[in-house]
Amino acid sequence: MRARAEAIERIALKRKARLGKLSDEGYAELRLAVENNPDKFVEDEQERAFLMLADALDANAKAREGEDFLDDDAYEKSRTRRLGRLRDTCGIVLEVDRHCLDASTILALQGNDAGDILEELLSLDATCGGSADVALDMGDLIPCDDGQGIANEGATAEPLATNEAYASSAMTEPAERAADDETALMPNTDDWTDVFEHPILRLHAVIAQEYLNTTRFGAARECCRRLVALTPSDPLGARFTWALACARLEDEQGFNDLDARFGRRGNAWSHIARTLLMFKLDRMSAARRALRGYASLCQGGAYALLRPTFVEAYLPDRPAFGQGTFEEACLAVHEADPVVVDTPDFIAWCTAQEGFAAEAQRYAEEHDLDW
């Protein structure tokens, strides 16, 4: 989450609305002035609170630097203190603006039980006018795509850093999208261009991930489908969660449609999802090809799958990663865990494939990792 950049955009847009019509050059100068001294331009409690949250998230990220090099006890103490400070600041932010959705989302995500976290997130969505808690057959849930926000004409928000590696190539032409996607919006319509809509869109992305974490795979798929309809550029990476849900549901057609929608440009999530899907469908030759593709296209992918590393809870969204990096592979493996756990013998099968375990061990030795 580029919280500070969003805070600057929000403050600048509100000042622009108060000043009246500005040229593009005038707005660029205004935005630069806000960037240099945002506190000077804050005019209401909503933006004051959001700026406080942005500062807290920056401080949390800075405090996290170097923690990976601590021993277990020192790491846990540092992490506990750091998250405690963030939690306290979120509480202060909500005292300033009780409607700061990102602060509430971050607090909800720091819970210990996945079911309780999901319930709290759905409650937040309901307070924003959504109707995420809708019963389905099989006990599944469908989240609503209805979000509340403040329109900002002409805003040009940047994609989140978490998805930068793929955002520029995310969209295919409308004619190439799945023909049966009845929720597809008109070309060039993307709610992400409204920076004031970002919090509710982030909340829905988080809800989709929590549906997956609580094995509500149908609801996860539906939530992602609706979110991508609202934000076709998919800056939040909903298609990653969507692909994993399709794999668990053995929805080959859905997976293929999703893959085509985004130009069949692979990523760690889609490679893992394809491997799982083929394995579950007992198409073992295709599963082996998919596994080889994952290992060759994702740096350290074999090691990440066979030796999963600890990934801290997203607060509130997926952290930044580079395309094809070990960090991407670790995030994808972490998010795929509910599907992997629910697929008996998958990891044992991966380990038994020729050269896969050896590739994982080689990566570990080259990068001084435990094996």
Side-chain angles (χ1 to χ4, degrees):
M1 176 180 174
R2 286 180 164 176
R4 190 166 186 82
E6 284 190 22
I8 290 167
E9 184 84 6
R10 289 163 57 126
I11 294 167
L13 285 167
K14 285 189 174 181
R15 178 57 67 95
K16 175 187 175 183
R18 192 169 71 83
L19 292 175
K21 189 172 183 180
L22 282 178
S23 66
D24 291 344
E25 294 79 7
Y27 178 70
E29 291 182 8
L30 171 62
R31 197 181 188 289
L32 181 60
V34 173
E35 186 174 351
N36 290 332
N37 188 2
D39 290 307
K40 179 181 177 180
F41 292 89
V42 170
E43 298 180 348
D44 58 48
E45 296 308 305
Q46 289 77 24
E47 301 318 315
R48 189 178 310 281
F50 195 84
L51 188 59
M52 290 171 59
L53 180 63
D55 290 340
L57 288 171
D58 286 347
N60 184 67
K62 185 174 181 59
R64 189 178 177 183
E65 294 176 1
E67 280 187 347
D68 290 341
F69 300 101
L70 300 175
D71 61 41
D72 289 348
D73 288 342
Y75 169 80
E76 191 56 39
K77 290 178 181 178
S78 176
R79 178 174 176 272
T80 299
R81 288 194 299 269
R82 172 171 55 80
L83 294 179
R85 289 193 296 269
L86 179 59
R87 188 163 51 248
D88 291 345
T89 303
C90 285
I92 296 171
V93 166
L94 289 170
E95 289 178 2
V96 176
D97 174 22
R98 65 187 180 89
H99 300 296
C100 184
L101 187 56
D102 282 312
S104 295
T105 301
I106 290 170
L107 287 177
L109 287 169
Q110 292 198 53
N112 294 319
D113 178 78
D116 291 343
I117 291 173
L118 177 58
E119 184 177 348
E120 180 64 24
L121 294 171
L122 290 171
S123 176
L124 287 174
D125 183 51
T127 64
C128 295
S131 56
D133 195 1
V134 179
L136 278 183
D137 292 339
M138 306 299 290
D140 239 339
L141 301 171
I142 292 183
C144 178
D145 59 2
D146 180 33
Q148 301 293 320
I150 302 173
N152 60 25
E153 185 177 350
T156 55
E158 298 178 25
L160 284 183
T162 62
N163 203 25
E164 278 183 342
Y166 299 105
S168 62
S169 59
M171 279 290 290
T172 60
E173 291 301 313
E176 297 175 30
R177 297 181 203 162
D180 62 350
D181 185 0
E182 72 278 8
T183 64
L185 302 181
M186 294 297 291
N188 302 320
T189 300
D190 193 322
D191 281 8
W192 191 255
T193 59
D194 182 351
V195 70
F196 294 99
E197 289 286 337
H198 289 192
I200 190 66
L201 295 171
R202 270 192 290 268
L203 175 61
H204 286 178
V206 170
I207 287 173
Q209 290 175 338
E210 291 304 319
Y211 277 139
L212 195 77
N213 290 338
T214 54
T215 68
R216 292 167 169 87
F217 301 108
R221 178 179 58 183
E222 175 66 11
C223 187
C224 292
R225 183 183 66 82
R226 295 186 179 201
L227 183 56
V228 170
L230 289 170
T231 58
S233 61
D234 192 28
L236 293 167
R239 65 192 181 281
F240 304 154
T241 309
W242 191 350
L244 294 171
C246 285
R248 173 57 186 85
L249 294 168
E250 301 181 22
D251 180 8
E252 184 176 6
Q253 184 62 53
F255 179 86
N256 287 335
D257 289 346
L258 174 64
D259 199 31
R261 183 185 186 121
F262 289 97
R264 303 195 185 282
R265 300 177 180 91
N267 52 68
W269 289 264
S270 66
H271 295 316
I272 291 175
R274 181 179 287 105
T275 306
L276 281 160
L277 177 61
M278 294 298 102
F279 180 84
K280 290 177 69 63
L281 294 175
D282 200 27
R283 306 241 291 276
M284 305 315 290
S285 294
R288 281 190 288 270
R289 288 195 302 273
L291 185 67
R292 287 196 296 270
Y294 164 71
S296 63
L297 295 172
C298 302
Q299 182 183 359
Y303 180 83
L305 188 58
L306 298 186
R307 296 291 187 274
T309 59
F310 171 76
V311 175
E312 188 169 287
Y314 301 164
L315 298 174
D317 49 19
R318 190 179 287 110
F321 62 86
Q323 186 173 2
T325 61
F326 180 60
E327 288 74 17
E328 179 186 344
C330 288
L331 292 174
V333 168
H334 167 69
E335 294 178 36
D337 185 64
V339 185
V340 171
V341 168
D342 207 35
T343 308
D345 302 326
F346 176 70
I347 293 299
W349 174 83
C350 292
T351 304
Q353 299 312 298
E354 182 178 358
F356 193 75
E359 169 63 20
Q361 185 173 359
R362 181 192 63 77
Y363 186 85
E365 292 170 351
E366 290 180 355
H367 294 82
D368 195 28
L369 299 171
D370 293 335
W371 178 251

